[in-house]
Amino acid sequence: MTTSTANANSHPGLNLGPAHGQAHKDAETVVFGFWIFLMSDLVTFAMFFATYAASIHATAGGPGNADIVDVTSIGLQTGALLISSLLFGIATVAMKHGSSPRSTILWLLASLAFGLCFLGLEVRDFIDAAEKGAVPMRSGYLSAYWALVGLHGLHVTVGSLMILVVCVQIAIFGFADDVKTRVLRLGLYWHFLDIIWIGIFSVVFLPGLLT
Amino acid sequence: MEHFFFGRLGWDDIAIFDIFRDPTASNIVGSSAGWLAVIGGVIVAALLLIKGWWRPLLFTWLNTTDHKKIGIMYIVTGLVMFARGVAEGVVMRSQYVTSYQGGYLTPDHFSELFSTHGTIMIFFVLMPFLIGFMNLLVPLQIGARDVAFPRLNQISLGFTIVGAMLLMISLVVGQFATGGWTGYPPYTGVAFQPGTGPDYWIWSLGLSGIGSLLTGINFAVTIYKMRCPGMTFMRMPIFVWTALCTSILLVFALPPLTAVVIMQALDRYLDFHFFTNDLGGNMMNFANLFWMFGHPEVYILILPAFGLYSEFTAIFSGKRIYGYMSLVIATMAIAVLSFTVWLHHFFTMGQSPTINVAFGVATMLIAIPTGVKVYVWIATLWGGRIRMRTPIIYLAGFIFFFAVGGYTGILLANPTINFTVHNSQFVVAHFHNVLLPGTLFAVLAGIYVWFPKFFGFRLDERWSATTAWLFIVGFTFAFMPLYVVGLMGMPRRSPAFDDPSYIPYMIVTMGGALCVLAALGALIGTFVVSAKRREALAVPGGDPWDGRTLEWATPAPVPEWNFAFIPEVHSQDAFAVEKSKGTVYDIEANSYEDIELAPTSWIGLTIIVFGTALGFAMVFWMWWLAILSGLALLIHAIGLGFVRDKGEIIPADVIERTERDWIAMAQQGRFTDRRDEVSTDNRGFAARISEA
């Protein structure tokens, strides 16, 4: 039970300042566990990406990729999501450098606001697509499209809910050790969703723009 | 048609009343099984109430986060479902005896039987067995007090039980799928099966899959982060290695199952077109996704079993395991290769020969590390002082059967041969030939070996050995003839056949099935007889077999805190080495400390109740109930973050007393020679075989 090994095995990502015994060790375990969860989630997304790739031509005469991509909206969504991630990063830095719980909560809420912008735009796109007849029931291609983009949207929704929950927890418990690691893990999750979005952007929307 | 409260549930769905509506042979069998489940449930409920057992059930079992209790609950779940799985197997075999141009079951009922049999045996028998053993052994073998996330462990168990409950409910209400355990669409799509069957499949696999995924995360972290000082990777017991590989497989192989279950649900509930015949659906996507999970799943089932074989081979031959390093490499190689072979499950579905060849070669490659393992076990036995206890009987049966199963696997891995025998009874023979001896024998032997560790008394030797022989004999007669009829062209999953030359073989397999049923009875008998003789069979010392790894360095049953002191190890087989140095019961420590146990939790019970309600509601389209139970789960999950609970603190003096009593017993010198280990002399203090 030497403390030197605890430092050597420190989890990847933002450290919690100088090693402080048990809390540090606990953080290491849960954050490591969360990384493994993210790897697993990445495989889930990979399956939806693969299905999408295999279904690109399965439009059954219905609307194809080029018919449903709205460049402006996708651009705004990408911007909103990336800014949201940046604001989350600022929130964790604020937490690390001893800002008040209040300011951290404010940064988190700002991050949440951009996340909700993203969701709003995405829902609008889905409604537009549905109005053009590009509903998931129309073809195998559209099923795969809605499922992949929708799965990401679902993740963002869950993340938004968790940001709210974590804000309440900070308000009640302050920066307790477990609350801090929760913010840390939620941050990983939130940034992870950016990476997935970039994948969706490149695989789903860019080809649609080019045709 | 749809009703707000009951969705699409109607009186006709209550399967147990079929027997009164239309008493055909098929309905009598189906309804009787349903009644058996209902009566069983009522008896259990009555016992809980009358005997007051609900109290310990609720307050020492269902709310526990102790890895040992959770492991036991997994194995009990597995045993209950095993009884049903065996019964279904026997019914199917009896169908084949009568099904020359007929049979007494309807084709639909027969299809339902092989679907539930496969689903149950894989997801609710073998998986819970092995995850149960991982729970029991991994923390003890790596010298930890619990798993990394005790509450998550309870959540995993909860989801597994939800899946099992849904399967049991499907026996009483509605129908299960008729599309096999693989649930291939479009046959399981709405167009062909609008009923409840595939929905039961979706929800029981989907929800229990969440549990398995979380288990994988939990044990990967436990093994990476919770090892005691000195426990380097190359000092870990082989079982821990296999548990690690299984955890990694769970983490990476369960997501494809989740994905495919979600897509199938979207197809069935919202009219999507992933796997339908029309509008761009493509069932080959299902085949790929499903087997990307399904093939690694085979190794999820077999690797921990290999770990168990490795452990007790060493114990019962009184030697350290031969070729530790090669076993570790072989385990890892199998884990990696398992992801490269999924396509061999559909060689005949129309892909190009090039792809078939690539996957055929990859499949054959797996034989190499697997062969290494079998040689390692044989080499461990070689020159050892083997005691012919029950585990060695199972091991002997396993090595023989597994060799046969391995050779037929190589045959099947060859695409050209595969075209000839695919979908025949040959395939049935092959996978029963590897999975049953491979996993089931390991688990049954494992129960014999580790039962005394967790319950404090050994299992009766004569009953255990009889059980083993009955399983081996029954298994031989039940499955070996299937190779022959398979080569003769008898298809699998077919409710009837037209060639009278199969009949004698079917009679032989029926005999084998009855023998397996007798073995199941003998297994129950073993538990009953041993429990009655528990005083005579008690092994409070905790080391009845001259064990080698850390779990044997604790009293039996293992105290809640596992170890009074976190051990520090300097070698492989740390406990065996300490025993040979004679330092093992010499602990002279005065600095006992309080130990805080993981807090208890009710999340598992919430999941069992509301998860089952959610699954049932979704199957029967009771949207209100689905929303309510979903909300209940969500609220409890969020609420967990706000609970600041502390675990129970075990005071230092309690620990000290337990520990000192145990050591005092050892110092009375009641060490037992290994040759007498099945006599009542064995109090769990092993004299080493080399000293005998």
PDB file of all heavy atoms in Angstrom, chain B residues 412-436:
ATOM      1  N   LEU B 412     -15.956 -28.090 -38.596  1.00  0.00           N
ATOM      2  CA  LEU B 412     -16.954 -27.063 -38.911  1.00  0.00           C
ATOM      3  C   LEU B 412     -16.304 -25.771 -39.384  1.00  0.00           C
ATOM      4  O   LEU B 412     -16.912 -24.989 -40.108  1.00  0.00           O
ATOM      5  CB  LEU B 412     -17.815 -26.775 -37.681  1.00  0.00           C
ATOM      6  CG  LEU B 412     -18.844 -27.857 -37.357  1.00  0.00           C
ATOM      7  CD1 LEU B 412     -19.412 -27.651 -35.966  1.00  0.00           C
ATOM      8  CD2 LEU B 412     -19.953 -27.853 -38.377  1.00  0.00           C
ATOM      9  N   ALA B 413     -15.052 -25.526 -38.950  1.00  0.00           N
ATOM     10  CA  ALA B 413     -14.370 -24.292 -39.331  1.00  0.00           C
ATOM     11  C   ALA B 413     -13.974 -24.294 -40.798  1.00  0.00           C
ATOM     12  O   ALA B 413     -13.590 -23.271 -41.341  1.00  0.00           O
ATOM     13  CB  ALA B 413     -13.128 -24.099 -38.466  1.00  0.00           C
ATOM     14  N   ASN B 414     -14.041 -25.463 -41.416  1.00  0.00           N
ATOM     15  CA  ASN B 414     -13.710 -25.562 -42.823  1.00  0.00           C
ATOM     16  C   ASN B 414     -14.973 -25.268 -43.637  1.00  0.00           C
ATOM     17  O   ASN B 414     -15.922 -26.049 -43.627  1.00  0.00           O
ATOM     18  CB  ASN B 414     -13.201 -26.977 -43.102  1.00  0.00           C
ATOM     19  CG  ASN B 414     -12.734 -27.130 -44.524  1.00  0.00           C
ATOM     20  OD1 ASN B 414     -13.255 -26.476 -45.429  1.00  0.00           O
ATOM     21  ND2 ASN B 414     -11.767 -27.991 -44.735  1.00  0.00           N
ATOM     22  N   PRO B 415     -15.004 -24.132 -44.356  1.00  0.00           N
ATOM     23  CA  PRO B 415     -16.254 -23.744 -45.020  1.00  0.00           C
ATOM     24  C   PRO B 415     -16.838 -24.825 -45.913  1.00  0.00           C
ATOM     25  O   PRO B 415     -18.052 -24.993 -45.974  1.00  0.00           O
ATOM     26  CB  PRO B 415     -15.846 -22.518 -45.833  1.00  0.00           C
ATOM     27  CG  PRO B 415     -14.700 -21.945 -45.088  1.00  0.00           C
ATOM     28  CD  PRO B 415     -13.956 -23.108 -44.511  1.00  0.00           C
ATOM     29  N   THR B 416     -15.984 -25.584 -46.593  1.00  0.00           N
ATOM     30  CA  THR B 416     -16.545 -26.578 -47.515  1.00  0.00           C
ATOM     31  C   THR B 416     -17.276 -27.678 -46.752  1.00  0.00           C
ATOM     32  O   THR B 416     -18.355 -28.120 -47.154  1.00  0.00           O
ATOM     33  CB  THR B 416     -15.435 -27.198 -48.378  1.00  0.00           C
ATOM     34  OG1 THR B 416     -14.373 -27.593 -47.507  1.00  0.00           O
ATOM     35  CG2 THR B 416     -14.933 -26.226 -49.398  1.00  0.00           C
ATOM     36  N   ILE B 417     -16.691 -28.131 -45.640  1.00  0.00           N
ATOM     37  CA  ILE B 417     -17.387 -29.146 -44.843  1.00  0.00           C
ATOM     38  C   ILE B 417     -18.613 -28.524 -44.201  1.00  0.00           C
ATOM     39  O   ILE B 417     -19.680 -29.129 -44.112  1.00  0.00           O
ATOM     40  CB  ILE B 417     -16.441 -29.726 -43.767  1.00  0.00           C
ATOM     41  CG1 ILE B 417     -15.260 -30.414 -44.428  1.00  0.00           C
ATOM     42  CG2 ILE B 417     -17.192 -30.699 -42.867  1.00  0.00           C
ATOM     43  CD1 ILE B 417     -14.218 -30.917 -43.457  1.00  0.00           C
ATOM     44  N   ASN B 418     -18.452 -27.266 -43.799  1.00  0.00           N
ATOM     45  CA  ASN B 418     -19.557 -26.568 -43.144  1.00  0.00           C
ATOM     46  C   ASN B 418     -20.801 -26.544 -44.027  1.00  0.00           C
ATOM     47  O   ASN B 418     -21.921 -26.711 -43.545  1.00  0.00           O
ATOM     48  CB  ASN B 418     -19.097 -25.151 -42.795  1.00  0.00           C
ATOM     49  CG  ASN B 418     -20.022 -24.480 -41.816  1.00  0.00           C
ATOM     50  OD1 ASN B 418     -21.155 -24.175 -42.175  1.00  0.00           O
ATOM     51  ND2 ASN B 418     -19.571 -24.282 -40.594  1.00  0.00           N
ATOM     52  N   PHE B 419     -20.592 -26.374 -45.333  1.00  0.00           N
ATOM     53  CA  PHE B 419     -21.753 -26.347 -46.231  1.00  0.00           C
ATOM     54  C   PHE B 419     -22.538 -27.658 -46.149  1.00  0.00           C
ATOM     55  O   PHE B 419     -23.754 -27.683 -46.309  1.00  0.00           O
ATOM     56  CB  PHE B 419     -21.296 -26.109 -47.682  1.00  0.00           C
ATOM     57  CG  PHE B 419     -21.321 -24.664 -48.076  1.00  0.00           C
ATOM     58  CD1 PHE B 419     -20.244 -23.827 -47.828  1.00  0.00           C
ATOM     59  CD2 PHE B 419     -22.449 -24.129 -48.684  1.00  0.00           C
ATOM     60  CE1 PHE B 419     -20.279 -22.492 -48.171  1.00  0.00           C
ATOM     61  CE2 PHE B 419     -22.491 -22.790 -49.034  1.00  0.00           C
ATOM     62  CZ  PHE B 419     -21.408 -21.960 -48.773  1.00  0.00           C
ATOM     63  N   THR B 420     -21.820 -28.757 -45.906  1.00  0.00           N
ATOM     64  CA  THR B 420     -22.494 -30.052 -45.864  1.00  0.00           C
ATOM     65  C   THR B 420     -23.269 -30.263 -44.577  1.00  0.00           C
ATOM     66  O   THR B 420     -24.376 -30.791 -44.589  1.00  0.00           O
ATOM     67  CB  THR B 420     -21.446 -31.172 -46.000  1.00  0.00           C
ATOM     68  OG1 THR B 420     -20.523 -30.795 -46.999  1.00  0.00           O
ATOM     69  CG2 THR B 420     -22.106 -32.481 -46.352  1.00  0.00           C
ATOM     70  N   VAL B 421     -22.680 -29.865 -43.457  1.00  0.00           N
ATOM     71  CA  VAL B 421     -23.302 -30.235 -42.180  1.00  0.00           C
ATOM     72  C   VAL B 421     -24.003 -29.082 -41.482  1.00  0.00           C
ATOM     73  O   VAL B 421     -24.557 -29.267 -40.409  1.00  0.00           O
ATOM     74  CB  VAL B 421     -22.265 -30.851 -41.202  1.00  0.00           C
ATOM     75  CG1 VAL B 421     -21.803 -32.192 -41.702  1.00  0.00           C
ATOM     76  CG2 VAL B 421     -21.122 -29.899 -40.958  1.00  0.00           C
ATOM     77  N   HIS B 422     -24.005 -27.889 -42.058  1.00  0.00           N
ATOM     78  CA  HIS B 422     -24.597 -26.776 -41.328  1.00  0.00           C
ATOM     79  C   HIS B 422     -26.091 -27.025 -41.104  1.00  0.00           C
ATOM     80  O   HIS B 422     -26.740 -27.719 -41.882  1.00  0.00           O
ATOM     81  CB  HIS B 422     -24.376 -25.463 -42.077  1.00  0.00           C
ATOM     82  CG  HIS B 422     -25.418 -25.147 -43.095  1.00  0.00           C
ATOM     83  ND1 HIS B 422     -25.403 -25.652 -44.356  1.00  0.00           N
ATOM     84  CD2 HIS B 422     -26.535 -24.393 -43.023  1.00  0.00           C
ATOM     85  CE1 HIS B 422     -26.442 -25.224 -45.020  1.00  0.00           C
ATOM     86  NE2 HIS B 422     -27.159 -24.456 -44.240  1.00  0.00           N
ATOM     87  N   ASN B 423     -26.568 -26.460 -39.998  1.00  0.00           N
ATOM     88  CA  ASN B 423     -27.969 -26.650 -39.626  1.00  0.00           C
ATOM     89  C   ASN B 423     -28.371 -28.107 -39.465  1.00  0.00           C
ATOM     90  O   ASN B 423     -29.543 -28.436 -39.559  1.00  0.00           O
ATOM     91  CB  ASN B 423     -28.899 -25.968 -40.626  1.00  0.00           C
ATOM     92  CG  ASN B 423     -29.485 -24.707 -40.024  1.00  0.00           C
ATOM     93  OD1 ASN B 423     -29.317 -24.474 -38.822  1.00  0.00           O
ATOM     94  ND2 ASN B 423     -30.167 -23.914 -40.794  1.00  0.00           N
ATOM     95  N   SER B 424     -27.392 -28.973 -39.220  1.00  0.00           N
ATOM     96  CA  SER B 424     -27.757 -30.361 -38.941  1.00  0.00           C
ATOM     97  C   SER B 424     -27.512 -30.639 -37.461  1.00  0.00           C
ATOM     98  O   SER B 424     -26.962 -29.811 -36.737  1.00  0.00           O
ATOM     99  CB  SER B 424     -26.913 -31.309 -39.781  1.00  0.00           C
ATOM    100  OG  SER B 424     -25.602 -31.366 -39.243  1.00  0.00           O
ATOM    101  N   GLN B 425     -27.927 -31.810 -37.033  1.00  0.00           N
ATOM    102  CA  GLN B 425     -27.715 -32.194 -35.631  1.00  0.00           C
ATOM    103  C   GLN B 425     -26.228 -32.269 -35.296  1.00  0.00           C
ATOM    104  O   GLN B 425     -25.849 -32.250 -34.129  1.00  0.00           O
ATOM    105  CB  GLN B 425     -28.363 -33.557 -35.370  1.00  0.00           C
ATOM    106  CG  GLN B 425     -29.874 -33.552 -35.503  1.00  0.00           C
ATOM    107  CD  GLN B 425     -30.565 -33.002 -34.268  1.00  0.00           C
ATOM    108  OE1 GLN B 425     -29.961 -32.764 -33.232  1.00  0.00           O
ATOM    109  NE2 GLN B 425     -31.866 -32.783 -34.383  1.00  0.00           N
ATOM    110  N   PHE B 426     -25.381 -32.350 -36.327  1.00  0.00           N
ATOM    111  CA  PHE B 426     -23.937 -32.356 -36.092  1.00  0.00           C
ATOM    112  C   PHE B 426     -23.518 -31.096 -35.338  1.00  0.00           C
ATOM    113  O   PHE B 426     -22.699 -31.145 -34.419  1.00  0.00           O
ATOM    114  CB  PHE B 426     -23.227 -32.420 -37.454  1.00  0.00           C
ATOM    115  CG  PHE B 426     -21.749 -32.679 -37.373  1.00  0.00           C
ATOM    116  CD1 PHE B 426     -21.256 -33.974 -37.313  1.00  0.00           C
ATOM    117  CD2 PHE B 426     -20.848 -31.618 -37.370  1.00  0.00           C
ATOM    118  CE1 PHE B 426     -19.893 -34.211 -37.232  1.00  0.00           C
ATOM    119  CE2 PHE B 426     -19.477 -31.853 -37.299  1.00  0.00           C
ATOM    120  CZ  PHE B 426     -19.006 -33.155 -37.226  1.00  0.00           C
ATOM    121  N   VAL B 427     -24.100 -29.969 -35.717  1.00  0.00           N
ATOM    122  CA  VAL B 427     -23.763 -28.702 -35.061  1.00  0.00           C
ATOM    123  C   VAL B 427     -24.244 -28.723 -33.614  1.00  0.00           C
ATOM    124  O   VAL B 427     -23.535 -28.286 -32.694  1.00  0.00           O
ATOM    125  CB  VAL B 427     -24.384 -27.514 -35.831  1.00  0.00           C
ATOM    126  CG1 VAL B 427     -24.046 -26.200 -35.158  1.00  0.00           C
ATOM    127  CG2 VAL B 427     -23.915 -27.518 -37.267  1.00  0.00           C
ATOM    128  N   VAL B 428     -25.447 -29.272 -33.426  1.00  0.00           N
ATOM    129  CA  VAL B 428     -25.971 -29.390 -32.055  1.00  0.00           C
ATOM    130  C   VAL B 428     -25.009 -30.213 -31.210  1.00  0.00           C
ATOM    131  O   VAL B 428     -24.655 -29.854 -30.091  1.00  0.00           O
ATOM    132  CB  VAL B 428     -27.365 -30.045 -32.075  1.00  0.00           C
ATOM    133  CG1 VAL B 428     -27.895 -30.213 -30.662  1.00  0.00           C
ATOM    134  CG2 VAL B 428     -28.324 -29.232 -32.918  1.00  0.00           C
ATOM    135  N   ALA B 429     -24.571 -31.341 -31.792  1.00  0.00           N
ATOM    136  CA  ALA B 429     -23.636 -32.200 -31.061  1.00  0.00           C
ATOM    137  C   ALA B 429     -22.353 -31.439 -30.748  1.00  0.00           C
ATOM    138  O   ALA B 429     -21.858 -31.481 -29.624  1.00  0.00           O
ATOM    139  CB  ALA B 429     -23.326 -33.439 -31.887  1.00  0.00           C
ATOM    140  N   HIS B 430     -21.843 -30.711 -31.734  1.00  0.00           N
ATOM    141  CA  HIS B 430     -20.581 -29.995 -31.522  1.00  0.00           C
ATOM    142  C   HIS B 430     -20.681 -28.993 -30.378  1.00  0.00           C
ATOM    143  O   HIS B 430     -19.859 -28.999 -29.475  1.00  0.00           O
ATOM    144  CB  HIS B 430     -20.126 -29.284 -32.791  1.00  0.00           C
ATOM    145  CG  HIS B 430     -19.101 -28.212 -32.527  1.00  0.00           C
ATOM    146  ND1 HIS B 430     -17.812 -28.515 -32.155  1.00  0.00           N
ATOM    147  CD2 HIS B 430     -19.188 -26.868 -32.517  1.00  0.00           C
ATOM    148  CE1 HIS B 430     -17.155 -27.396 -31.946  1.00  0.00           C
ATOM    149  NE2 HIS B 430     -17.963 -26.372 -32.162  1.00  0.00           N
ATOM    150  N   PHE B 431     -21.691 -28.124 -30.399  1.00  0.00           N
ATOM    151  CA  PHE B 431     -21.628 -27.077 -29.361  1.00  0.00           C
ATOM    152  C   PHE B 431     -22.021 -27.580 -27.990  1.00  0.00           C
ATOM    153  O   PHE B 431     -21.538 -27.090 -26.978  1.00  0.00           O
ATOM    154  CB  PHE B 431     -22.327 -25.770 -29.762  1.00  0.00           C
ATOM    155  CG  PHE B 431     -23.811 -25.806 -29.926  1.00  0.00           C
ATOM    156  CD1 PHE B 431     -24.644 -25.954 -28.833  1.00  0.00           C
ATOM    157  CD2 PHE B 431     -24.368 -25.630 -31.167  1.00  0.00           C
ATOM    158  CE1 PHE B 431     -26.013 -25.948 -28.991  1.00  0.00           C
ATOM    159  CE2 PHE B 431     -25.737 -25.623 -31.327  1.00  0.00           C
ATOM    160  CZ  PHE B 431     -26.562 -25.791 -30.248  1.00  0.00           C
ATOM    161  N   HIS B 432     -22.872 -28.628 -27.952  1.00  0.00           N
ATOM    162  CA  HIS B 432     -23.096 -29.232 -26.628  1.00  0.00           C
ATOM    163  C   HIS B 432     -21.829 -29.943 -26.166  1.00  0.00           C
ATOM    164  O   HIS B 432     -21.538 -29.999 -24.979  1.00  0.00           O
ATOM    165  CB  HIS B 432     -24.271 -30.202 -26.673  1.00  0.00           C
ATOM    166  CG  HIS B 432     -25.606 -29.517 -26.677  1.00  0.00           C
ATOM    167  ND1 HIS B 432     -26.240 -29.145 -27.832  1.00  0.00           N
ATOM    168  CD2 HIS B 432     -26.415 -29.111 -25.661  1.00  0.00           C
ATOM    169  CE1 HIS B 432     -27.387 -28.545 -27.527  1.00  0.00           C
ATOM    170  NE2 HIS B 432     -27.515 -28.502 -26.221  1.00  0.00           N
ATOM    171  N   ASN B 433     -21.088 -30.466 -27.110  1.00  0.00           N
ATOM    172  CA  ASN B 433     -19.875 -31.206 -26.796  1.00  0.00           C
ATOM    173  C   ASN B 433     -18.760 -30.317 -26.251  1.00  0.00           C
ATOM    174  O   ASN B 433     -17.903 -30.771 -25.499  1.00  0.00           O
ATOM    175  CB  ASN B 433     -19.398 -31.909 -28.075  1.00  0.00           C
ATOM    176  CG  ASN B 433     -18.524 -33.106 -27.795  1.00  0.00           C
ATOM    177  OD1 ASN B 433     -18.246 -33.869 -28.687  1.00  0.00           O
ATOM    178  ND2 ASN B 433     -18.095 -33.301 -26.566  1.00  0.00           N
ATOM    179  N   VAL B 434     -18.748 -29.049 -26.627  1.00  0.00           N
ATOM    180  CA  VAL B 434     -17.740 -28.157 -26.041  1.00  0.00           C
ATOM    181  C   VAL B 434     -18.285 -27.378 -24.843  1.00  0.00           C
ATOM    182  O   VAL B 434     -17.609 -27.232 -23.835  1.00  0.00           O
ATOM    183  CB  VAL B 434     -17.119 -27.177 -27.067  1.00  0.00           C
ATOM    184  CG1 VAL B 434     -16.080 -27.866 -27.900  1.00  0.00           C
ATOM    185  CG2 VAL B 434     -18.173 -26.554 -27.933  1.00  0.00           C
ATOM    186  N   LEU B 435     -19.523 -26.905 -24.955  1.00  0.00           N
ATOM    187  CA  LEU B 435     -20.021 -26.031 -23.880  1.00  0.00           C
ATOM    188  C   LEU B 435     -20.364 -26.798 -22.606  1.00  0.00           C
ATOM    189  O   LEU B 435     -20.117 -26.332 -21.508  1.00  0.00           O
ATOM    190  CB  LEU B 435     -21.250 -25.255 -24.349  1.00  0.00           C
ATOM    191  CG  LEU B 435     -20.986 -23.869 -24.911  1.00  0.00           C
ATOM    192  CD1 LEU B 435     -22.286 -23.162 -25.182  1.00  0.00           C
ATOM    193  CD2 LEU B 435     -20.139 -23.044 -23.943  1.00  0.00           C
ATOM    194  N   LEU B 436     -20.964 -27.979 -22.760  1.00  0.00           N
ATOM    195  CA  LEU B 436     -21.361 -28.692 -21.543  1.00  0.00           C
ATOM    196  C   LEU B 436     -20.160 -29.181 -20.746  1.00  0.00           C
ATOM    197  O   LEU B 436     -19.995 -28.808 -19.583  1.00  0.00           O
ATOM    198  CB  LEU B 436     -22.300 -29.844 -21.883  1.00  0.00           C
ATOM    199  CG  LEU B 436     -23.761 -29.451 -21.972  1.00  0.00           C
ATOM    200  CD1 LEU B 436     -24.620 -30.676 -22.103  1.00  0.00           C
ATOM    201  CD2 LEU B 436     -24.163 -28.690 -20.733  1.00  0.00           C
TER     202      LEU B 436
END
